[in-house]
Structures are given as C-alpha cells and as structure tokens.
Amino acid sequence: SGPAYIFVPIDIVDLQVPAAALKTPLDLTPPQDDKLIQAATDAVLSELYASKSPAIFVDCLVDRHNAIKELETHPNYLGVYNGMVSGLGVAAAIEKSDCVLIVGSLASDTNSGGFTRKVLPENAIYLDAFTTTIKGVTFSPAPLKPLLASIVSQLNPSQVPSASIPA
C-alpha cells in the first residue's frame, strides 16, 4: 500500500465532535472474495506441486498484515535472501528454484542487496498484500492473510518436492 494522507479542512479544526464515535472500532479487514481466494489457492498449489525445487521468500509485509502465524519456521530454513549480499547458499537456493513463492515483498535497496535479487519472473509467484500474481494472471482482491490461511489449510506436504539445501 502507498502512503496515506489525512487532510483536515482548516475551517473545521476547532469544531467539537462527539467522542462516542471513538467507541466503535474501525473494521480494517480488507475486502475479499472467497471464490477468488480459492482460485488463487488452487493456482498456487498447482504450481508448487508441479515444481522440482520450490522455495519461499518471506518479507516484511507478512508482519505488517498480521499473517505471521500462517507461516512458520521450517527445518529447511536457509537464511536471509538479500540478493548478492545473501548468506552462503541462500542466493543459490532462491535463484535456482523453479518456483519461488514471494510472500509479502516490499523491495527496497536495503532489503534486496541494492536490487540485486535474481528471481526469474516465470518462476515467481507473488503473494502481495491484496493481490496474487502467477505467470501474468492476477487474483484480486486476495488479501495476504486469508490467502495464506487457505494455502496452508489445503497444502498436501506429500505433493511438495523435497528441498535440497545447497552447500
């Protein structure tokens, strides 16, 4: 999401407003289409099951959209992928993968090794804050948190190829 700006007209800054409105919590739940989330889930799982060397890249928007519990640390965790300044073996694993789930990415110069990440677009599945894109097909609205929950609940680990950890 982009920056937000709040504009308060200068002719009403001194008007009293009822405090009762503060008692109603804001609904920050993004709009979602359950059929679209299922379609995106099916597409993600299809690509994942067809892959030979899958990888997952998790970035900061997972935390910002309260979707951390939908993901978990795994024994095959390799480390931080930061383009050419990644830890030993991490860049090779991501860049050689034929199916990279890029989850909650917010690319900047500081978390991408100066924009040196090398994931081929045809190998990338982008699970963004409100959309999912697979090989040029976009599913929207497909908010990150419910989409990850759907993927995790329907994932059949026996259909996912075993990952090999590069030396």
Side-chain angles (χ1 to χ4, degrees):
S1 65
Y5 299 95
I6 297 175
F7 176 75
V8 179
I10 61 171
D11 60 341
I12 64 167
V13 294
D14 58 351
L15 293 180
Q16 295 288 322
V17 294
L22 297 174
K23 294 178 183 175
T24 304
L26 294 175
D27 180 7
L28 300 177
T29 307
Q32 71 183 59
D33 178 332
D34 291 338
K35 288 181 182 177
L36 198 65
I37 288 175
Q38 185 58 52
T41 298
D42 292 343
V44 168
L45 292 177
S46 176
E47 291 292 321
L48 185 61
Y49 296 155
S51 70
K52 291 181 175 47
S53 59
I56 300 175
F57 172 78
V58 179
D59 207 354
C60 66
L61 292 181
V62 169
D63 182 32
R64 292 183 190 173
H65 289 271
N66 194 28
I68 290 177
K69 74 177 184 176
E70 285 72 17
L71 297 172
E72 59 185 66
T73 299
H74 191 275
N76 288 348
Y77 172 78
L78 293 179
V80 176
Y81 178 54
N82 198 8
M84 70 181 197
V85 296
S86 298
L88 188 61
V90 176
I94 294 288
E95 293 168 6
K96 290 180 181 177
S97 174
D98 64 342
C99 179
V100 182
L101 297 181
I102 300 173
V103 185
S105 181
L106 181 64
S108 71
D109 59 340
T110 58
N111 73 356
S112 68
F115 296 105
T116 60
R117 292 182 188 160
K118 295 179 184 173
V119 176
L120 297 174
E122 61 268 21
N123 295 340
I125 297 175
Y126 298 95
L127 281 67
D128 295 321
F130 303 105
T131 63
T132 294
T133 304
I134 304 170
K135 296 184 177 180
V137 177
T138 299
F139 300 87
S140 180
L144 188 60
K145 185 176 177 72
L147 177 63
L148 284 174
S150 178
I151 291 169
V152 169
S153 71
Q154 296 178 54
L155 178 69
N156 181 347
S158 68
Q159 290 186 281
V160 179
S162 297
S164 60
I165 300 175

